[in-house]
Amino acid sequence: MATKYIFITGGVVSSVGKGVTAAAIGRLLKERGFAVSAQKLDPYINVDPGTMSPYQHGEVFVLDDGAETDLDLGHYERFIDISLNKMCNVTSGQVYAEVIGKERRGDFLGGTIQVIPHITNEIKRRIGLVAKTTGAEIVLVEIGGTVGDIESLPFLEAIRQMRTDLGRENSLCIHVTWLPHIGATGELKTKPTQHSVRELRSIGISPDVIVARSDYPVEDDLREKIALFCDVEKRAVIPLVTASTIYEVPLVLEQFELGEYLLERFGLTAREKPDWRVWEQLVKEAKRTRPKVHVALVGKYIELHDAYFSVREALEHAALSLGIEINIAWVHSSDLEKDRNWEQVYQADGVVVPGGFGSRGIEGKIKAICYARENKVPYLGLCLGMQLMVVELARHILGNDQPNSTEFDNKTPYPVIDLMPDQMDIADMGGTMRLGLYPCQLQKGTLAAAAYPQSQVRERHRHRFELNNAYRELLSKGGMVFSGISPDGKLVEIAELADHPFMVATQFHPEFLSRPNRPHPLFLAFLKAVSQHAGIEAFQVIPAEQLTISSRTINAKAR
Ligand code: GLN
């Protein structure tokens, strides 16, 4: 069958959950037995979000192949349960860099390079690469921003052309809009949706489906009105009222029979009957009053929770499957430095220090780690959270505060975290990151080995610095156990403390491989320890289908 494309655009305002909607639509189709993949087109000029501040962009989501991508790719992977690749996130920056590179090499033989056709052709080529590299039968393509933005015009033009190139039966456009609520009259308004559809039409794209997001129930007559004014069938107007948990979104879309509608429009019939049992159970759990545990997340981009999206999701997945509710206290590490906000740490049954770059707030995180170690509070360190656990222990062993990572103090006499010798001469920092999947051998008899069902795992990395092997002996004398090591023995991937109920930290980012239906083993183990600390008996309410985090297995069903 010819590859089918679903283009997803946004209207009215941003931040209404277009990414989650796209991801949930992907799930509807996967449940019907189709191989699905998803792509995000981002209109900004940065080549990737890797260099953007988390304040501007939220978290950087890392893929198996090391691509640094938009956090929407996290939604796609979690909802559809697939592994994406670097073709799945395209930015204007990449498109322009490619075209300008070709121009400099003389590939265009003296021609004038223009947005149409050169930029649009490159966009179309990149859209085509997703099906080629993943084998997907249906590709979802989400366009960042909202219709009407100058930046996204070349992307919309490329889609307009593709709709004709592919044939109508092979492509659909879903427009996700927002229905504002007027408090004084208690009404929902469809006018902005109508305007946004008109704007889309003026570019030459007529939507086939309208997903109308709203904070209030949408009555049937409003659906009719949108259908009439926007020229779509009534059953193609899908009201999507803000759900209490994002895992409810696929169920709501299913209820409005969107999956069947899309297949019908493509001339396809479902190969499998959707099985929503796990999702229904997740939602039921999420809505149930569960015993509460408190976790302090000590970071530096605390104001914007999106900066730690996958960490929060991974905690949530594990909590749901253990039947507990997790209350995250977002603690600013610089506050701790100023002796503020410590109550939130004292009240917590567990401490998480997530990844990060740059020296701001480092000492506050080290203090929180020291507190967790001394008071035997469960601790989970992620990337920077492992490096700082190493620094903290070295300081404790040596009895002074000189040990450090050379990222923060390049003159420290005790560089316990450092660049590897083969990285030292590389001046271009951008080239020295360890990115993507790397294998890790678990060491018998450790907490990490007990957490994972298998003895070798592959996890996603995004960092530059490593534990300095010259200090392994000192650290292990001080009670540190290197529970995960690269198969060649050269890199410490997981470290834990022997004399502590649960003080485990990883050089990689386990949060990127957690799935709602398959919580990550380390997050599960951490939350079990947290529950124990809180005096709550936690057991797996939702049995993890198969506790494997090999993304290869995850892909198998989609193919
Ligand atoms: N800044 C640290 C490094 O580059 C940690 C990075 C991270 O936490 N992702 O190694």
Side-chain angles (χ1 to χ4, degrees):
M1 102 186 191
T3 312
K4 310 283 183 186
Y5 287 88
I6 299 178
F7 299 108
I8 296 153
T9 54
V12 185
V13 283
S14 59
S15 307
V16 296
K18 183 154 51 88
V20 169
T21 308
I25 292 170
R27 186 79 215 188
L28 296 180
L29 298 165
K30 186 182 175 181
E31 284 295 328
R32 287 170 167 75
F34 292 92
V36 180
S37 196
Q39 182 182 44
K40 175 88 190 277
L41 307 180
D42 275 314
Y44 51 74
I45 313 287
N46 304 59
V47 170
D48 63 45
T51 51
M52 279 158 94
S53 159
Y55 280 129
Q56 303 238 340
H57 194 266
E59 104 183 336
V60 174
F61 191 81
V62 181
L63 306 181
D64 282 355
D65 63 11
E68 299 175 87
T69 71
D70 186 75
L71 60 75
D72 277 331
L73 276 83
H75 295 311
Y76 308 157
E77 284 204 344
R78 286 186 284 264
F79 274 79
I80 314 175
D81 204 354
I82 45 172
S83 285
L84 302 173
N85 67 40
K86 61 176 186 291
M87 298 305 158
C88 299
N89 195 187
V90 174
T91 68
S92 294
Q94 286 167 15
V95 171
Y96 276 86
E98 178 88 29
V99 173
I100 293 170
K102 281 188 182 157
E103 186 270 341
R104 292 288 84 182
R105 285 198 306 271
D107 290 6
F108 295 112
L109 303 169
T112 307
I113 316 306
Q114 293 173 303
V115 172
I116 307 172
H118 300 94
I119 295 296
T120 45
N121 280 352
E122 178 58 20
I123 294 170
K124 291 200 284 186
R125 188 183 73 84
R126 285 177 182 249
I127 294 175
L129 284 175
V130 175
K132 283 205 185 91
T133 56
T134 63
E137 300 163 290
I138 306 178
V139 181
L140 295 136
V141 182
E142 178 190 347
I143 295 93
T146 37
V147 170
D149 299 344
I150 293 175
E151 287 86 351
S152 55
L153 278 175
F155 288 115
L156 294 171
E157 169 60 15
I159 284 167
R160 186 195 65 77
Q161 294 175 17
M162 268 188 91
R163 304 248 290 163
T164 314
D165 302 347
L166 294 165
R168 295 292 143 166
E169 69 286 7
N170 294 322
S171 85
L172 291 171
C173 172
I174 299 181
H175 194 49
V176 182
T177 73
W178 177 250
L179 305 177
H181 181 261
I182 308 297
T185 52
E187 276 177 302
L188 284 172
K189 290 297 193 183
T190 65
K191 190 72 86 193
T193 297
Q194 297 175 36
H195 278 296
S196 162
V197 169
R198 193 177 302 163
E199 180 92 34
L200 196 57
R201 281 241 171 73
S202 72
I203 306 167
I205 302 173
S206 301
D208 301 286
V209 172
I210 293 176
V211 174
R213 287 274 297 103
S214 157
D215 275 342
Y216 296 84
V218 181
E219 303 299 335
D220 220 40
D221 57 337
L222 222 62
R223 269 182 94 187
E224 258 160 39
K225 190 170 168 189
I226 296 172
L228 180 68
F229 281 100
C230 301
D231 198 25
V232 294
E233 290 180 69
K234 183 182 162 196
R235 58 191 181 127
V237 178
I238 314 291
L240 186 55
V241 178
T242 306
S244 57
T245 154
I246 54 174
Y247 304 119
E248 201 167 1
V249 177
L251 301 180
V252 175
L253 299 180
E254 182 67 41
Q255 198 189 317
F256 284 100
E257 297 174 358
L258 180 59
E260 288 308 314
Y261 185 75
L262 295 173
L263 290 190
E264 189 188 309
R265 292 287 306 261
F266 281 143
L268 299 171
T269 41
R271 295 178 188 148
E272 279 170 33
K273 199 171 166 296
D275 180 356
W276 295 107
R277 277 175 303 180
V278 173
W279 293 80
E280 281 161 0
Q281 216 172 344
L282 280 171
V283 171
K284 204 174 111 205
E285 272 303 306
K287 291 184 171 174
R288 183 171 74 89
T289 323
R290 293 158 287 159
K292 248 192 200 153
V293 297
H294 297 266
V295 168
L297 191 141
V298 183
K300 80 170 181 184
Y301 308 109
I302 291 307
E303 299 84 347
L304 186 74
H305 296 179
D306 272 10
Y308 302 110
F309 206 99
S310 294
V311 176
R312 190 176 56 179
E313 287 301 287
L315 286 168
E316 184 65 17
H317 301 159
L320 283 173
S321 89
L322 290 173
I324 53 173
E325 183 177 340
I326 176 158
N327 193 331
I328 302 179
W330 301 85
V331 183
H332 221 300
S333 49
S334 359
D335 280 351
L336 300 182
E337 289 170 9
K338 293 172 209 137
D339 287 331
R340 286 204 295 250
N341 250 340
W342 274 97
E343 346 49 90
Q344 293 196 294
V345 178
Y346 298 151
Q347 278 162 17
D349 303 303
V351 175
V352 176
V353 172
F357 292 82
S359 59
R360 182 166 63 90
I362 290 303
E363 295 301 323
K365 292 179 188 171
I366 292 176
K367 280 187 178 172
I369 294 168
C370 176
Y371 166 83
R373 178 177 57 77
E374 287 178 346
N375 296 283
K376 306 232 185 289
V377 177
Y379 172 77
L380 182 65
L382 308 170
C383 204
L384 180 63
M386 170 184 127
Q387 299 177 352
L388 296 180
M389 179 173 117
V390 170
V391 170
E392 195 280 322
L393 189 72
R395 289 182 181 185
H396 170 69
I397 297 168
L398 294 170
N400 67 58
D401 60 6
Q402 292 188 59
N404 214 329
S405 161
T406 51
E407 180 180 4
F408 315 120
D409 176 6
N410 56 17
K411 296 201 177 57
T412 168
Y414 310 105
V416 288
I417 302 291
D418 200 359
L419 294 175
M420 294 304 275
D422 54 352
Q423 290 178 307
M424 298 282 190
D425 308 328
I426 308 173
D428 178 9
M429 285 308 226
T432 60
M433 280 246 242
R434 183 144 77 101
L435 285 166
L437 277 189
Y438 282 86
C440 162
Q441 189 63 44
L442 301 166
Q443 307 303 303
K444 283 203 182 80
T446 59
L447 289 171
Y452 282 101
Q454 62 276 70
S455 59
Q456 201 187 94
V457 293
R458 300 197 317 149
E459 294 274 6
R460 293 182 184 172
H461 291 248
R462 178 176 184 245
H463 56 99
R464 190 168 290 128
F465 294 82
E466 306 279 355
L467 189 143
N468 184 345
N469 290 328
Y471 288 90
R472 274 204 214 180
E473 208 185 309
L474 176 89
L475 291 163
S476 55
K477 277 194 188 130
M480 186 167 275
V481 178
F482 305 113
S483 46
I485 313 259
S486 62
D488 65 4
K490 286 188 182 152
L491 301 165
V492 172
E493 305 283 40
I494 313 179
E496 57 187 65
L497 294 194
D499 186 25
H500 192 286
F502 192 95
M503 189 125 188
V504 179
T506 60
Q507 186 53 79
F508 47 80
H509 290 274
E511 67 271 24
F512 293 140
L513 290 182
S514 182
R515 302 282 197 262
N517 57 322
R518 201 173 12 254
H520 192 284
L522 286 178
F523 280 86
L524 269 180
F526 169 64
L527 282 195
K528 280 181 192 158
V530 168
S531 309
Q532 204 163 16
H533 190 270
I536 291 168
E537 211 188 321
F539 52 92
Q540 228 126 310
V541 189
I542 304 178
E545 289 174 331
Q546 20 153 211
L547 272 182
T548 167
I549 54 146
S550 147
S551 352
R552 302 286 164 240
T553 346
I554 291 167
N555 242 353
K557 199 190 165 196
R559 291 260 163 79

